[in-house]
């Protein structure tokens, strides 16, 4: 008999040398692909009206959002008819300049596909929304989307 016997070993340990590389690669991927919120809300988070037919918007890069609701700061008043364009409280008269500015950021071929999304609180006045629509019509921004939440319980 030989004195040297092969000892049975279990499974070899998992090599973790590449683990830091994988972690940093994932970290870099998520840092590059994550988008930050472009605007901070100056109006309270709108309580959207409910709707039975809800459809998601395509091409979010071509969507300009107008928020209508109650201002967070008391200096703008307490009514639900405050309009937010980008990061500031505005009036309906400033809507055409907002749309024209948004059009300058996209190519000429994509302008017909641009959509204006109105996120209005359900307590907002219809008159304010009509004023916005009239101003949008003046600059030929006829593709309008009204944001709503899906009706629950059906």
């Amino acid at each position: 008999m030989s004195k040297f016997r092969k000892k049975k070993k279990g499974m070899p340990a998992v090599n973790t040398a590449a683990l830091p590389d994988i972690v940093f690669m994932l970290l870099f991927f998520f840092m590059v692909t994550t988008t930050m919120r472009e605007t901070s809300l100056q109006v309270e988070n709108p309580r959207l009206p409910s709707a039975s037919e809800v459809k998601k918007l395509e091409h979010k890069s071509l969507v300009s959002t107008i928020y209508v609701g109650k201002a967070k700061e008391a200096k703008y008043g307490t009514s639900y008819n405050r309009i937010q364009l980008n990061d500031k409280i505005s009036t309906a008269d400033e809507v055409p300049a907002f749309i024209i500015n948004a059009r300058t950021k996209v190519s000429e071929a994509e302008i017909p596909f641009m959509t204006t999304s109105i996120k209005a609180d359900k307590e907002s006045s219809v008159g304010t929304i009509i004023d916005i629509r009239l101003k949008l019509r003046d600059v030929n921004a006829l593709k309008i989307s009204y944001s709503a939440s899906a009706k629950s319980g059906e």
Side-chain angles (χ1 to χ4, degrees):
M1 291 198 146
S2 72
K3 292 185 177 178
F4 300 104
R5 290 187 188 166
K6 282 191 169 181
K7 294 182 180 176
K8 291 188 177 181
K9 294 183 179 178
M11 292 291 291
V14 176
N15 186 5
T16 58
L19 190 61
D21 293 334
I22 294 170
V23 169
F24 284 115
M25 188 170 45
L26 285 171
L27 178 67
F28 182 72
F29 171 78
F30 287 116
M31 286 173 55
V32 169
T33 59
T34 302
T35 58
M36 301 305 243
R37 175 174 264 180
E38 294 174 4
T39 60
S40 56
L41 288 177
Q42 299 294 319
V43 296
E44 290 180 5
N45 245 356
R47 295 168 296 160
L48 300 174
S50 60
S52 58
E53 297 292 324
V54 179
K55 181 181 172 188
K56 283 197 167 206
L57 285 174
E58 305 276 329
H59 307 291
K60 291 198 177 193
S61 62
L62 298 176
V63 176
S64 302
T65 306
I66 299 174
Y67 297 95
V68 180
K70 185 177 180 181
K72 286 184 179 179
E73 296 181 27
K75 68 180 179 181
Y76 296 117
T78 58
S79 75
Y80 280 91
N81 300 319
R82 299 294 169 233
I83 300 170
Q84 178 182 342
L85 305 172
N86 289 333
D87 278 337
K88 64 179 187 129
I89 301 293
S90 305
T91 63
D93 294 330
E94 297 172 28
V95 171
F98 170 71
I99 297 299
I100 291 169
N101 186 26
R103 284 181 181 165
T104 61
K105 296 177 183 176
V106 298
S107 68
E108 191 73 30
E110 293 177 324
I111 289 177
F113 301 108
M114 289 185 67
T115 304
T116 305
S117 175
I118 299 176
K119 287 190 177 183
D121 193 282
K122 61 183 173 183
E123 299 291 326
S124 297
S125 168
V126 175
T128 304
I129 296 170
I130 290 174
D131 290 344
I132 293 170
R133 284 181 49 199
L134 291 174
K135 296 299 179 179
L136 290 172
R137 189 182 303 163
D138 291 345
V139 290
N140 202 26
L142 304 177
K143 204 170 179 187
I144 302 172
S145 168
Y146 297 97
S147 297
S149 60
K151 211 179 243 188
S152 59
E154 288 187 23

